[in-house]
Each structure stands twice: as structure tokens, then as C-alpha cells.
Amino acid sequence: MRGDDRAACAALLAERRPVGELLGLHGRPSFVMLRLEVGEISVDDLWGAEHVDPEDLATAEPDPMVNHETELLQHLAAAHRDRIADLCALLGPRESAAATAVPLALDRLGLRVRFTGDGSSFDARFDFPAPVRDVCELRRAMHHLFAAAGHQGVS
């Protein structure tokens, strides 16, 4: 990458990781800038495979939970373990044998939890009623899930 492209890319990277190595200020850089030209994208996960338009990816905003996911998952596991386990009630009676629940992933759309018990395990995804934009909305969405699980457990 040379010239104007290199300077523009270095400026973009410096916004996220402001270190002199990006601009070549310290001899041999510890970061290397590469240019990736995307022609086709597909995502394949637990819920199936889907084509993604490269323009949609280029204009996509980062998930607002990405910078806090680790801390939030640790908090849920440490402070709300029993309430996370209660979410199993939302999955129906056949899954009620799960003894342990571990929060695995969190994004603006929902929470993924691993349930284990009786020598088996399974993952479940709990979607929020609406996408969350910040931690305050996340708190409301989690309370909504916990309330739904409590209501289900009473039935």
C-alpha cells in the first residue's frame, strides 16, 4: 500500500489503536497494514449459512456490546448465576434437567448460554425483545428475560 491509500488507512487504524508503529515512526513496525478487497461474503453459524453483501458489511456499525462483552459475561456468571440458570425454564420441560448455566456470548440482539447436566450439554440463544444500544438498555432486556423465566417457572 502506498501514497494516499497508506496515509488514509494509517489514520483509520490510528483512531482505534493510536501507536507510532502504524505510521512507521519506530523502525520496524509491529503492525502491518493490508488492503482487503472483498468480493463475496457468507456467514455460517449455528443458525445456518447466509450471504452478506460486501457493501452492507462496509457500512455496518460495530455491535455496541463488543467493547464490554467480556466484563458483562463475567458479571452475569459471577453475580447472576442462578438467574442465568433460571433461563432454562424458557426452553420447556424437556430441558429442565440442566444443572449448570454459563453465559457464552452477548450482543445487541441477545444472549447465548451453555447448559450442562447429566453428562450432556447444549447451547441456547435468548433473543432480546429489541436490539439494545447501550448497557442501560441491556439491563432492561436482561430483566425482561429474567422475568419471563420466572413467570415460566411458576406455571
Side-chain angles (χ1 to χ4, degrees):
M1 194 177 303
R2 290 187 173 77
D4 293 340
D5 282 345
R6 185 181 189 336
C9 289
L12 286 172
L13 286 172
E15 285 177 19
R16 294 186 186 249
R17 189 174 288 273
V19 294
E21 291 96 354
L22 289 175
L23 301 174
L25 299 177
H26 300 291
R28 185 177 175 153
S30 59
F31 294 91
V32 176
M33 289 188 289
L34 301 173
R35 180 179 174 155
L36 174 66
E37 294 186 20
V38 178
E40 184 176 324
I41 304 168
S42 65
V43 175
D44 188 359
D45 59 17
L46 294 173
W47 299 272
E50 186 173 332
H51 175 76
V52 177
D53 185 84
E55 291 299 318
D56 290 342
L57 179 65
T59 59
E61 291 292 322
D63 189 290
M65 298 296 109
V66 72
N67 291 329
H68 309 288
E69 181 184 22
T70 301
E71 295 85 14
L72 291 168
L73 291 171
Q74 289 171 346
H75 172 75
L76 288 170
H80 304 288
R81 182 172 298 275
D82 56 337
R83 298 193 81 185
I84 296 296
D86 291 345
L87 293 176
C88 197
L90 297 173
L91 303 174
R94 65 181 177 83
E95 305 297 355
S96 62
T100 305
V102 178
L104 294 180
L106 176 70
D107 58 43
R108 72 181 187 275
L109 302 175
L111 172 69
R112 187 163 53 105
V113 178
R114 174 158 297 149
F115 294 97
T116 59
D118 296 333
S120 65
S121 68
F122 64 92
D123 292 356
R125 171 120 177 136
F126 299 94
D127 292 332
F128 298 141
V132 298
R133 294 175 292 194
D134 56 35
V135 176
C136 290
E137 288 184 8
L138 172 65
R139 185 176 297 117
R140 285 191 291 273
M142 291 303 302
H143 284 288
H144 178 83
L145 281 178
F146 293 152
H151 176 71
Q152 193 68 26
V154 171
S155 300

